[in-house]
Amino acid sequence: MKNHTEYLTIQTQQAREVRSITEQVKEALKKSEFRDGMLLVGALHANSAVVLGINDSKFFGDLQAWLERLAPARDDYQLGRGFESNPSTVLQSILAGPQVSVAFSEGRLDLGPWQEILYLEFDGQRPKRVVIKLLGE
Amino acid sequence: MKNHTEYLTIQTQQAREVRSITEQVKEALKKSEFRDGMLLVGALHANSAVVLGINDSKFFGDLQAWLERLAPARDDYQLGRGFESNPSTVLQSILAGPQVSVAFSEGRLDLGPWQEILYLEFDGQRPKRVVIKLLGE
Amino acid sequence: MKNHTEYLTIQTQQAREVRSITEQVKEALKKSEFRDGMLLVGALHANSAVVLGINDSKFFGDLQAWLERLAPARDDYQLGRGFESNPSTVLQSILAGPQVSVAFSEGRLDLGPWQEILYLEFDGQRPKRVVIKLLGE
């Protein structure tokens, strides 16, 4: 078993945005030439997230609205302006999760028919990084 | 280090159900013959989840009620009938998490005394799949 | 690729507490002598959690208040006194997540500039355990 690493740089048009990165992860798996193993896709910022969900712009709207309902931007957080964005973005990252692990078998990601790997940006419009680390053989 | 893969097929009696799959994961570890490593247990559907929790039917009721409070089925989601179930099921999957990783050492799962691996079904009564991928030696 | 395991024992002063364990994880990576791979940091109790967040006591307050808003201690949970603490602590563990995986490359953790590994205690003042399992080379 060996390891293989890729980094993505994502710059969204909007401050808040959801997009599928499934294709980039498949590409990383292809480059690794691994057939079987496990990979980690992790956001390298405290104000973005990576989840498994549906690749549909309507769902992206539902997901964002729901995250804002559960962890709204508020003025009364203790964490002040030292941090780059409202603490709600970090709570949303913890709520959604900053990372997913995905198994792969016979060269293909073990994902269900509707499952895609989604990148969630809560404070974008600048380069953000994602690590893809594969352990496989 | 090598890898070993098992797939579970779970068909619940109810549309919504929680059950422990700890025994099945232990069985997979036994079959792998690995002593030390890490494993991933992942739901292969966008409307189910895998968490670490307490194996107690009273807790299952608390957990389901809480998930429905935080991500209720609503009629005003943008994602329409193209998807197989109400988008709330996908939000609940993201809230609970579609997967857990578990370390194992000397042939035993690294879990605490009350921790079990729970499968959460949000739209069952049909065959659903779970992957167990082990990396170990 | 090989594996390496460390266990931390954490006893907090308060029943509820947040602290960074990034340094302990870096120490475990150093001891493993691995350069590249993936590690899992997992709470071995159903009433604690491990997340990626900001190492700032003000944020810790925001995080705790938010978890209590979303999964408050209530008297009407079904799970009774058989369990060691209020079921809200288990729901908070599921909300925050009991574990994180972190990639490491060239001997360093793949974390963003603000990201640290935080241990969240919901029922402390006694020894609690955390596993750090590294797969690497």
Side-chain angles (χ1 to χ4, degrees):
Chain A
M1 188 157 297
K2 293 181 184 301
N3 88 90
H4 180 87
T5 313
E6 300 275 339
Y7 296 96
L8 305 180
T9 301
I10 298 175
Q11 180 157 352
T12 57
Q13 298 269 335
Q14 309 298 324
R16 297 177 64 85
E17 201 172 308
V18 179
R19 61 170 69 174
S20 173
I21 54 171
T22 311
E23 283 310 312
Q24 288 93 319
V25 176
K26 284 183 180 169
E27 197 60 38
L29 175 55
K30 202 171 178 182
K31 281 174 74 175
S32 74
E33 298 185 359
F34 297 153
R35 301 289 296 165
D36 286 85
M38 191 191 300
L39 62 83
L40 172 71
V41 186
L44 295 180
H45 300 264
N47 50 20
S48 51
V50 178
V51 306
L52 295 182
I54 300 172
N55 184 9
D56 183 305
S57 62
K58 288 178 187 166
F59 176 69
F60 297 170
D62 291 332
L63 176 57
Q64 294 210 56
W66 175 74
L67 290 168
E68 294 200 48
R69 278 198 298 275
L70 263 60
R74 297 159 62 119
D75 288 332
D76 60 350
Y77 288 115
Q78 295 176 49
L79 183 66
R81 309 240 161 226
F83 181 63
E84 52 189 357
S85 51
N86 191 286
S88 65
T89 62
V90 186
L91 300 178
Q92 290 180 16
S93 171
I94 289 171
L95 173 55
Q99 61 189 204
V100 294
S101 296
V102 181
F104 54 89
S105 303
E106 296 173 20
R108 297 179 59 171
L109 299 178
D110 282 303
L111 290 175
W114 290 89
Q115 278 182 313
E116 296 221 15
I117 301 163
L118 306 182
Y119 174 76
L120 280 58
E121 179 60 78
F122 304 127
D123 187 8
Q125 298 174 314
R126 58 204 167 93
K128 306 286 284 272
R129 293 173 80 227
V130 171
V131 63
I132 307 172
K133 176 70 84 172
L134 302 97
L135 306 187
E137 59 192 348
Chain B
M1 188 157 294
K2 292 181 183 304
N3 87 90
H4 180 87
T5 313
E6 301 275 338
Y7 296 96
L8 306 179
T9 300
I10 298 174
Q11 180 157 353
T12 58
Q13 299 268 336
Q14 310 298 326
R16 297 177 64 85
E17 202 171 307
V18 179
R19 60 170 69 174
S20 174
I21 54 172
T22 311
E23 283 311 313
Q24 289 94 318
V25 176
K26 284 182 181 169
E27 198 59 39
L29 175 55
K30 202 172 179 180
K31 282 174 75 175
S32 74
E33 299 184 358
F34 297 152
R35 300 290 296 164
D36 285 86
M38 192 191 300
L39 61 83
L40 172 71
V41 186
L44 296 180
H45 300 265
N47 49 20
S48 50
V50 178
V51 306
L52 296 182
I54 300 172
N55 184 11
D56 182 306
S57 64
K58 289 178 186 167
F59 176 70
F60 298 170
D62 292 332
L63 176 56
Q64 293 211 57
W66 175 74
L67 289 168
E68 296 200 48
R69 277 198 297 276
L70 263 59
R74 297 159 63 119
D75 290 331
D76 60 350
Y77 288 116
Q78 294 177 48
L79 184 66
R81 309 243 160 223
F83 182 63
E84 54 189 356
S85 51
N86 191 286
S88 64
T89 62
V90 187
L91 299 178
Q92 290 179 17
S93 170
I94 290 172
L95 174 55
Q99 62 190 203
V100 294
S101 295
V102 181
F104 52 92
S105 303
E106 295 173 21
R108 299 180 59 171
L109 299 179
D110 282 302
L111 289 175
W114 290 90
Q115 278 183 313
E116 296 222 15
I117 301 163
L118 305 181
Y119 174 75
L120 280 57
E121 180 59 80
F122 304 126
D123 187 8
Q125 298 173 315
R126 59 203 166 93
K128 306 286 285 272
R129 295 173 81 227
V130 170
V131 63
I132 307 172
K133 175 71 82 171
L134 303 97
L135 307 188
E137 60 191 347
Chain C
M1 188 158 295
K2 293 181 183 303
N3 87 89
H4 180 87
T5 313
E6 301 275 338
Y7 296 96
L8 306 180
T9 300
I10 298 174
Q11 180 156 352
T12 58
Q13 299 269 337
Q14 310 299 325
R16 298 176 64 84
E17 200 171 308
V18 180
R19 63 170 68 175
S20 174
I21 54 171
T22 311
E23 283 310 311
Q24 289 92 320
V25 176
K26 283 182 181 169
E27 198 59 38
L29 175 55
K30 200 171 180 181
K31 281 173 74 175
S32 74
E33 299 186 357
F34 297 153
R35 299 290 296 165
D36 284 86
M38 193 190 300
L39 61 83
L40 173 70
V41 186
L44 296 179
H45 300 265
N47 50 20
S48 50
V50 179
V51 306
L52 296 182
I54 300 173
N55 184 10
D56 183 306
S57 64
K58 289 179 187 165
F59 177 69
F60 297 170
D62 291 331
L63 176 57
Q64 293 210 57
W66 175 75
L67 289 168
E68 295 201 49
R69 279 197 297 275
L70 261 59
R74 298 159 61 117
D75 289 331
D76 61 351
Y77 289 115
Q78 295 178 48
L79 183 66
R81 309 242 161 226
F83 181 64
E84 53 189 356
S85 51
N86 192 285
S88 64
T89 62
V90 186
L91 300 178
Q92 290 179 15
S93 171
I94 289 172
L95 173 55
Q99 61 190 203
V100 295
S101 296
V102 181
F104 52 91
S105 303
E106 297 173 19
R108 298 178 59 171
L109 299 178
D110 282 302
L111 289 175
W114 289 90
Q115 280 182 311
E116 296 221 15
I117 301 163
L118 305 181
Y119 174 76
L120 280 57
E121 180 59 80
F122 305 127
D123 187 8
Q125 298 173 316
R126 56 205 168 93
K128 306 287 282 274
R129 293 174 80 230
V130 170
V131 62
I132 306 172
K133 176 70 86 169
L134 302 98
L135 307 187
E137 59 192 349

